[in-house]
Amino acid sequence: MSASRRSGTTDELGPDEPGESGGSDLLAALLDGMDAALCAFDADGVVTHWNREAERILGWTAAEAVGRHGFAGWAVRSADAEEVQARLMSAMRAPGRQVHEFALVTKGGGRVLVRTQSAAVRGPDGKPAGVYCAFSEVHAQIDLERSIALSEALFEDASWGVVLVDADLRPAVVNAHAARALGVGRTSVLGRPLGELLAQGVEELEAALTHVLAEGAPPAPAEMWVSVRGPQGERRRCWRSGFLRLASPLAEEPVPLGVGWLFEDVTEAKQGEQEAALLRFRTNQLHRAARAAAECEDPAEAAIVHLDFALAGFADHALVDRVADRPRAEGADGPGPVRLVRLAATPAGAPGPSLLTGAAGLPVRYPEGHPALQCVERGGTVRADAGSVSAERAREWALERQWPGDAVHALCAVLRSRGRTLGVVTFLRGSGRNRFERPDTAYAEDVSARIATALDLADTTRGRTPQ
């Protein structure tokens, strides 16, 4: 029991009166239910209250503690008793609370370093009537302070994003780093659905949060690609995320309060890894193509081998056009306009190896200004895109240029060997792929150089001189 009224001790509430036993029992229950150890002294320094947590820490029961004068001779060493008692009772004359640290003696003779908070207890007349003292083991207090300090540091100074998401999957607390990553202020993000902050990836993120609420934290971090809405448009980012289920420590059964979501931006690292992996794959493809082409008796067949190996993971279609003989225009000193003859193409239907075509030598009906013609005339790579148009308009765009109807991105690389232009190779991508970028251009030019060398060798063996 917390207050030993039943042993005859009187405390600040006064003696028991009829009808007040319920209030005394309530006080005892409240004191015994506290997480902190608590004891109280009257104005003479006599112990009036002693709860169960104090008993747990020191081993002395309420019956053994209540009624003793101070801690001398039982809860502190004799040499320290006077100083400890003076420091505790000084709270009667000091405003507010006082914090002290000193060693107490357990019933078994051991010593426990505790941190105390003491304050005056005032009677009905407002004058000090005693002192109450709440204490806990120093290491437990330090653990609590560390936990609080860690929480504050995470939400102020952490170099990665920290978001507390409630059970409705809405941000409840956001640290400064996470707010910058989301492109919003720390307060404006609170309570908003994640779909208002992320353009892509929100379904995957919400599924992860729901899983954590139901099943608990995953065993390892997860990498998620998201698109963040911002004033300058959408930004695609990769966030390495860890999740923790938050449960109330006050409930008998775990009650989920939400999810702690910690993430760091690893976009640059992931892009570097992807670029390195892509470069390794393309280098291996070029190596394999060179070995396979070396076994071809016909150099033209070797050119097709290079084309087929280049297509893997790079494009959906490929075309190889040779420069046809350019007849002299009537009344002109120089040759006529550029004409291209189809030499090879990937199958229009099911996927398969490229096929040699153009035996009849008929020029391809490319309209004026076609990217392939521009590539030959400039002697350099040309890129073209259908742009942001409807699927029907994109199909018309491709068919107008004599390309397969599903093509929306094109890259034309010139075929040159020994200082002469032999033709052009065109790589085509459908709507499910990204447009051709600078690394793609470098790869296409490398492939085109190998194809041009093979075609030049084919012309040499057949006694044909390129124009």
Side-chain angles (χ1 to χ4, degrees), residues 394-432:
R395 178 177 176 81
E396 294 175 359
W397 176 85
L399 295 178
E400 288 172 359
R401 288 157 179 77
Q402 308 300 312
W403 291 334
D406 60 341
V408 295
H409 309 295
L411 176 62
C412 299
V414 66
L415 301 175
R416 287 185 60 82
S417 178
R418 293 190 296 167
R420 292 185 293 269
T421 298
L422 306 183
V424 58
V425 57
T426 302
F427 295 101
L428 301 169
R429 289 178 176 175
S431 58

Side-chain angles (χ1 to χ4, degrees), residues 54-242:
E55 178 181 342
R56 185 193 68 79
I57 294 176
L58 297 179
W60 302 97
T61 65
E64 295 170 321
V66 173
R68 291 178 180 267
H69 189 279
F71 287 154
W74 62 288
V76 296
R77 296 191 310 171
S78 299
D80 301 331
E82 183 177 350
E83 179 187 358
V84 170
Q85 189 72 8
R87 290 166 69 180
L88 288 175
M89 300 307 294
S90 65
M92 290 182 60
R93 301 178 299 275
R97 294 179 298 175
Q98 289 189 328
V99 178
H100 302 287
E101 288 185 6
F102 44 75
L104 296 182
V105 178
T106 66
K107 187 175 181 180
R111 300 184 70 197
V112 178
L113 184 63
V114 300
R115 178 173 296 176
T116 66
Q117 293 188 30
S118 54
V121 176
R122 302 190 179 279
D125 57 357
K127 296 181 179 181
V131 173
Y132 81 82
C133 173
F135 63 92
S136 61
E137 297 175 82
V138 167
H139 70 82
Q141 183 71 19
I142 291 176
D143 288 343
L144 175 61
E145 292 179 1
R146 283 174 179 161
S147 298
I148 296 174
L150 174 61
S151 298
E152 293 181 350
L154 285 175
F155 286 104
E156 295 296 336
D157 306 321
S159 58
W160 57 88
V162 181
V163 180
L164 298 189
V165 182
D166 62 21
D168 295 326
L169 306 186
R170 296 176 182 243
V173 185
V174 178
N175 76 340
H177 187 95
R180 288 193 299 270
L182 293 168
V184 292
R186 292 184 63 178
T187 56
S188 61
V189 70
L190 303 183
R192 294 173 59 182
L194 294 173
E196 294 183 5
L197 306 172
L198 304 177
Q200 296 179 1
V202 63
E203 295 85 0
E204 182 182 6
L205 177 58
E206 289 183 341
L209 295 172
T210 302
H211 172 81
V212 173
L213 280 172
E215 304 292 337
E223 293 177 352
M224 299 182 178
W225 283 93
V226 300
S227 293
V228 183
R229 291 191 174 97
Q232 289 77 33
E234 297 180 2
R235 295 178 294 114
R236 187 160 173 78
R237 314 302 296 172
C238 181
W239 291 340
R240 180 174 291 135
S241 303

Side-chain angles (χ1 to χ4, degrees), residues 151-430:
S151 298
E152 293 181 350
L154 285 175
F155 286 104
E156 295 296 336
D157 306 321
S159 58
W160 57 88
V162 181
V163 180
L164 298 189
V165 182
D166 62 21
D168 295 326
L169 306 186
R170 296 176 182 243
V173 185
V174 178
N175 76 340
H177 187 95
R180 288 193 299 270
L182 293 168
V184 292
R186 292 184 63 178
T187 56
S188 61
V189 70
L190 303 183
R192 294 173 59 182
L194 294 173
E196 294 183 5
L197 306 172
L198 304 177
Q200 296 179 1
V202 63
E203 295 85 0
E204 182 182 6
L205 177 58
E206 289 183 341
L209 295 172
T210 302
H211 172 81
V212 173
L213 280 172
E215 304 292 337
E223 293 177 352
M224 299 182 178
W225 283 93
V226 300
S227 293
V228 183
R229 291 191 174 97
Q232 289 77 33
E234 297 180 2
R235 295 178 294 114
R236 187 160 173 78
R237 314 302 296 172
C238 181
W239 291 340
R240 180 174 291 135
S241 303
F243 302 94
L244 298 170
R245 181 167 64 177
L246 306 179
S248 172
L250 303 179
E252 293 184 4
E253 297 183 0
V255 177
L257 298 177
V259 176
W261 170 31
L262 293 82
F263 66 90
E264 61 175 337
D265 194 321
V266 294
T267 307
E268 286 72 17
K270 292 300 295 182
Q271 288 176 342
E273 292 175 5
Q274 292 175 353
E275 291 172 0
L278 182 61
L279 180 60
R280 286 194 301 269
F281 173 76
R282 290 179 175 178
T283 301
N284 289 336
Q285 286 297 96
L286 291 174
H287 175 72
R288 294 173 60 197
R291 292 177 60 87
E295 302 300 323
C296 298
E297 295 183 3
D298 184 1
E301 182 183 352
I304 302 307
V305 168
H306 283 292
L307 184 67
D308 288 337
F309 273 93
L311 272 177
F314 182 68
D316 298 315
H317 306 282
L319 312 169
V320 177
D321 299 323
R322 287 294 305 267
V323 175
D325 295 337
R326 300 169 65 179
R328 189 181 300 275
E330 185 177 352
D333 297 333
V338 175
R339 296 189 304 170
L340 296 175
V341 176
R342 180 63 44 79
L343 175 66
T346 51
S354 301
L355 304 174
L356 288 169
T357 61
L362 299 177
V364 184
R365 296 181 297 105
Y366 283 150
E368 184 179 356
H370 190 280
L373 297 177
Q374 294 181 26
C375 179
V376 173
E377 292 170 353
R378 298 176 184 177
T381 305
V382 175
R383 289 182 292 180
D385 294 278
S388 301
V389 297
S390 64
E392 184 60 31
R393 182 67 192 93
R395 178 177 176 81
E396 294 175 359
W397 176 85
L399 295 178
E400 288 172 359
R401 288 157 179 77
Q402 308 300 312
W403 291 334
D406 60 341
V408 295
H409 309 295
L411 176 62
C412 299
V414 66
L415 301 175
R416 287 185 60 82
S417 178
R418 293 190 296 167
R420 292 185 293 269
T421 298
L422 306 183
V424 58
V425 57
T426 302
F427 295 101
L428 301 169
R429 289 178 176 175

